[in-house]
Every structure is written in C-alpha cells, then in structure tokens.
Amino acid sequence: MYVSPTKALAQDQLRAFRDFVPQKWQHLFQTYDGDVPHSERSHVRDAAAVMLTNPDMLHCNMLPQHRQWAAWFASLRYVALQ
C-alpha cells in the first residue's frame, strides 16, 4: 500500500509504476481514491496487489468497511507513506 497526501500525487506515482513494470503486471497497480466510481471499487480492491491511496480514503472508506477489506489487509506486507 502506498499512501500519498493527495490523490493527484498517487496518480503521478501510478503512472511512474506503470512505466517501470512490464505491461502484463500493470493491472496489479491500482489507485483507490475519490475518483474511482463506487461501482468499480470492489473490483479495484480485488484486483490490486499494490494499492495507491490517500489518508482520506483510508480513514473514511477503507477502515470503516474493514470487513470488506479484511482479506486485502491480511495480505498486506508493506505500507509506504509519503
């Protein structure tokens, strides 16, 4: 998990990650922010191996719904804060 102070910075980092990794793995890098439509959020949660988010989404969306995120958080190995 990569937590940036703003969603714009997370989007910039996502582009940098995707430039760095082979195309076949790019789908594993996902942002989870206010711009992700509600209808796609469960897909992002299920598909992402690396989640880029911001403190607001972590506090207001992910942690209050911790049961839905339990499997993802259980597999979490690293948290990077910027």
Side-chain angles (χ1 to χ4, degrees):
M1 174 183 279
Y2 172 85
V3 181
S4 71
T6 65
K7 65 183 177 182
L9 185 55
Q11 291 290 338
D12 291 344
Q13 291 299 322
L14 177 64
R15 281 189 290 280
F17 280 130
R18 287 188 171 162
D19 288 343
F20 180 72
V21 300
Q23 177 131 7
K24 67 180 180 179
W25 294 332
Q26 290 184 8
H27 69 281
L28 298 174
F29 293 80
Q30 301 283 332
T31 57
Y32 190 83
D33 58 31
D35 292 342
V36 176
H38 289 278
S39 60
E40 295 178 25
R41 291 182 181 185
S42 62
H43 169 74
V44 169
R45 181 185 61 234
D46 295 341
V50 177
M51 180 78 63
L52 293 89
T53 191
N54 57 56
D56 184 56
M57 288 301 286
L58 185 62
H59 177 74
C60 295
N61 197 287
M62 298 165 89
L63 295 178
Q65 298 177 18
H66 61 88
R67 288 189 178 130
Q68 294 174 351
W69 285 88
W72 198 88
F73 281 126
S75 67
L76 185 62
R77 293 180 61 190
Y78 302 102
V79 176
L81 301 173
Q82 181 166 9

